[in-house]
Amino acid sequence: MLILGVDIGGSGIKGAIVDTVTGELVTERYRIVTPQPATPTAVAEALLQLTTYFNWNGLVGCGFPAAIQHGIVRTAANIAPSFIGTQLDTLFSDATQCRCYCVNDADAAGIAEMTFGEGRGHQGVVLLVTIGTGLGTVLFSEGKLLPNTELGHLYLKNGKTAERYAADSVRKLKHLSWRQWGKRFNTYLAQMEALFWPDLIILGGGASKKFSKYQEQLTVAAVVKPAVFLNQAGIVGAALYARSKNTEA
Ligand code: BGC
């Protein structure tokens, strides 16, 4: 079953048509720069650009960088605060005339990795962290997802949240070397390990592609692996999410 998977991020909105049976992208990824300010209307218009580009009128799954409870946006760390309280499924479905289902972006990445990637068949506690503009997290136990964990907002160091200390955007902003950033990120993973004791930690998002550059700084006992889908996990997982919601409907 083909579904348009979209990953809405702080800097880019990326989409591709996904074969949800195999987890493969059947088209190239297409990327639009996230409009600034990223208001609900502006992002909905960008999504319409994407569905128009793909000449798409089928199901759409959208990974979105916020806690989303029953389709409603609850937080806004890296998006316009006016998103809070928005019924995203309705906004995007109306704007694109396609049935859209929205899910937290890290949850989407986790769904992809647990279905087709590094976490496939894993029955233990799995933590996936997406490293990008923000730090997104998702937890699984016995393959079941606990939605909307916002553990990138945990207070970590000098009164800063983990996201403000160790996101990839901080590495870029402060011109940290991969080694310097890796040490920061390790502080975060150590805290996650002390609180949740994951058996497996999967890293997604942009920085997952550079895993070998900071792997040596990671000292946690859990097995740490880059996502099989690297930073495409969000697109694939969003499509899988839409498929599951559409079956429920
Ligand atoms: C948001 C999360 C999101 C993460 C990654 C955080 O700032 O609060 O909902 O998953 O960024 O985009």
Side-chain angles (χ1 to χ4, degrees):
M1 187 176 184
L2 300 183
I3 296 182
L4 177 61
V6 181
D7 188 7
I8 299 178
S11 54
I13 300 179
K14 294 145 276 177
I17 297 172
V18 179
D19 180 336
T20 56
V21 176
T22 61
E24 278 163 20
L25 303 193
V26 300
T27 62
E28 291 286 306
R29 270 185 353 155
Y30 182 66
R31 183 179 191 273
I32 297 174
V33 174
T34 306
Q36 295 302 336
T39 58
T41 318
V43 174
E45 269 167 23
L47 191 61
L48 173 61
Q49 268 184 52
L50 210 72
T51 53
T52 308
Y53 172 84
F54 284 107
N55 196 15
W56 189 251
N57 56 16
L59 276 183
V60 180
C62 290
F64 193 78
I68 301 182
Q69 201 177 25
H70 313 301
I72 300 174
V73 179
R74 297 297 187 196
T75 62
N78 296 306
I79 48 167
S82 52
F83 263 109
I84 292 181
T86 302
Q87 215 319 332
L88 214 52
D89 291 357
T90 309
L91 174 75
F92 289 169
S93 298
D94 288 349
T96 59
Q97 295 298 303
C98 298
R99 187 74 189 95
C100 296
Y101 292 99
C102 301
V103 61
N104 170 263
D105 55 356
D107 288 2
I111 292 168
E113 284 297 315
M114 294 303 283
T115 312
F116 295 116
E118 205 51 68
R120 188 177 190 157
H122 203 294
Q123 289 303 305
V125 175
V126 180
L127 168 72
L128 182 138
V129 183
T130 63
I131 314 158
T133 310
L135 279 184
T137 59
V138 53
L139 275 172
F140 291 85
S141 173
E142 296 181 352
K144 292 222 164 49
L145 162 79
L146 176 64
N148 291 316
T149 55
E150 286 283 327
L151 300 171
H153 296 284
L154 197 89
Y155 281 92
L156 193 65
K157 201 112 176 147
N158 308 330
K160 277 193 186 147
T161 62
E163 175 165 296
R164 301 274 174 249
Y165 181 69
D168 199 36
S169 50
V170 178
R171 179 187 64 78
K172 290 177 184 157
L173 197 74
K174 294 198 171 293
H175 305 288
L176 301 176
S177 65
W178 282 108
R179 190 187 150 82
Q180 288 169 320
W181 176 83
K183 286 191 170 168
R184 285 185 173 219
F185 188 64
N186 186 53
T187 308
Y188 175 59
L189 287 191
Q191 189 68 9
M192 287 294 99
E193 180 154 74
L195 295 173
F196 298 100
W197 297 102
D199 301 295
L200 170 65
I201 300 176
I202 306 173
L203 306 182
S208 59
K209 288 187 284 186
K210 305 285 183 185
F211 185 62
S212 61
K213 296 193 188 270
Y214 55 86
Q215 184 176 12
E216 278 182 15
Q217 318 308 322
L218 308 182
T219 60
V220 288
V223 177
V224 185
K225 296 257 172 81
V228 166
F229 286 103
L230 299 173
N231 64 343
Q232 288 181 11
I235 293 178
V236 176
L240 292 176
Y241 178 79
R243 189 174 84 165
S244 70
K245 292 310 272 186
N246 200 50
T247 323
E248 275 172 24

